[in-house]
């Protein structure tokens, strides 16, 4: 089965986030990275500084770069070259300068998205504005998300993408599996052997 997934990667027929965790190892990750030159979806424990350097030089984005490999110069260059001042993700506080904070606050004023802003600058009013606009918890910092928000989000999008594992419930897994028949985004604790087998059989055909 390992060779099957490697061949799928070499043929660019699968992304790593769709491969069951038990089949992911250093060899497979290296083949995946050398094929795509992209760290998106690669478990952080396998990401190396070498990969980050190639990824950064190719895409000039700080998305998906583990904090231990992220530098202030990368962050500054990203925001200098990004005309929209937009960053979707929670940027580590140590990289947020006064100049970047101003851009993040301007981004909120323009988009209503607040998950990029340090929590001490976020108000309940901002969170409510953001959620009422999008009904999407991906745009809200984790510490402000409630079970009710997660339910509304899942009912709208019917997807596990972007939902923190601690909020995922059994009924979501059942609905998601029945609808998509994919193990992508299903936490390991919810995965059943029949799901993995059915999923693998589907992509083999």
């Amino acid at each position: 089965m390992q060779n099957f997934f490697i061949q799928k990667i070499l043929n660019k027929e699968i992304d790593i986030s769709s491969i069951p965790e038990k089949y992911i190892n250093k060899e497979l990750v290296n083949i995946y990275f050398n094929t795509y030159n992209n760290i998106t979806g690669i478990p952080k424990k396998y990401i190396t500084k070498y990969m980050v350097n190639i990824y950064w030089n190719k895409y000039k984005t700080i998305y998906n770069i583990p904090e231990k490999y992220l530098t202030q110069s990368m962050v500054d260059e990203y925001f200098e070259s990004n005309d929209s001042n937009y960053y979707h993700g929670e940027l580590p506080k140590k990289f947020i300068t006064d100049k970047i904070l101003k851009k993040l606050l301007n981004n909120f004023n323009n988009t209503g998205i607040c998950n990029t802003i340090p929590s001490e600058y976020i108000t309940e009013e901002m969170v409510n504005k953001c959620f009422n606009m999008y009904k999407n918890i991906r745009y809200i910092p984790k510490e402000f998300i409630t079970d009710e928000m997660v339910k509304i989000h899942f009912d709208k999008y019917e997807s596990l993408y972007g939902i923190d594992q601690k909020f995922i419930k059994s009924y979501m897994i059942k609905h998601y599996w029945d609808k998509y028949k994919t193990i992508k985004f299903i936490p390991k604790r919810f995965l059943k052997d029949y799901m993995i087998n059915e999923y693998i059989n589907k992509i083999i055909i």
Side-chain angles (χ1 to χ4, degrees):
M1 189 54 65
Q2 188 79 26
N3 291 335
F4 167 78
F5 285 116
I6 288 174
Q7 192 58 52
K8 283 283 186 181
I9 290 170
L10 292 172
N11 293 339
K12 294 188 175 181
E13 296 174 343
I14 195 170
D15 65 81
I16 199 166
S17 60
S18 297
I19 298 175
E21 184 179 345
K22 69 179 183 178
Y23 296 114
I24 297 176
N25 57 26
K26 186 176 180 180
E27 178 191 6
L28 184 141
V29 167
N30 287 337
I31 292 172
Y32 181 84
F33 181 78
N34 290 333
T35 301
Y36 289 93
N37 285 338
N38 197 323
I39 61 175
T40 304
I42 295 178
K44 287 185 178 181
K45 66 181 180 180
Y46 293 113
I47 297 176
T48 66
K49 187 175 182 180
Y50 168 80
M51 293 176 181
V52 168
N53 288 338
I54 293 176
Y55 173 78
W56 165 254
N57 289 327
K58 181 175 181 178
Y59 298 102
K60 293 298 181 183
T61 180
I62 57 178
Y63 288 100
N64 306 309
I65 296 180
E67 182 176 344
K68 67 179 179 179
Y69 297 126
L70 197 59
T71 67
Q72 189 68 54
S73 62
M74 286 178 178
V75 175
D76 291 342
E77 184 176 342
Y78 172 81
F79 279 97
E80 285 296 331
S81 62
N82 187 347
D83 293 335
S84 69
N85 300 329
Y86 176 72
Y87 176 71
H88 172 60
E90 296 179 37
L91 187 65
K93 292 179 183 179
K94 67 182 181 181
F95 296 114
I96 301 178
T97 62
D98 290 341
K99 186 177 181 179
I100 290 175
L101 177 61
K102 183 178 179 180
K103 289 189 174 187
L104 293 176
L105 290 171
N106 285 338
N107 179 55
F108 172 76
N109 292 331
N110 294 330
T111 66
I113 295 172
C114 64
N115 71 323
T116 61
I117 302 170
S119 57
E120 59 263 35
Y121 295 97
I122 296 177
T123 65
E124 185 176 347
E125 181 182 5
M126 293 168 72
V127 171
N128 290 336
K129 175 184 176 181
C130 178
F131 190 71
N132 289 334
M133 284 179 67
Y134 298 102
K135 299 295 187 290
N136 192 324
I137 60 173
R138 292 175 56 217
Y139 301 148
I140 296 173
K142 293 176 183 178
E143 59 263 42
F144 293 96
I145 296 173
T146 65
D147 285 325
E148 181 61 23
M149 287 179 178
V150 174
K151 184 179 185 307
I152 293 170
H153 171 103
F154 184 78
D155 289 346
K156 178 179 180 180
Y157 297 101
E158 298 183 291
S159 175
L160 299 176
Y161 177 59
I163 300 180
D164 191 275
Q165 290 194 16
K166 69 180 181 181
F167 290 110
I168 295 178
K169 312 295 183 185
S170 296
Y171 82 89
M172 297 178 184
I173 299 296
K174 183 179 187 311
H175 182 85
Y176 179 78
W177 171 255
D178 289 344
K179 184 177 178 66
Y180 300 107
K181 298 297 183 184
T182 179
I183 61 174
K184 192 173 183 177
F185 307 127
I186 296 180
K188 187 176 181 180
R189 72 180 189 276
F190 288 109
L191 272 179
K192 307 296 183 185
D193 287 341
Y194 77 85
M195 292 178 178
I196 295 175
N197 293 335
E198 187 172 337
Y199 171 74
I200 291 174
N201 288 335
K202 183 176 71 171
I203 62 177
I204 287 177
I205 297 175

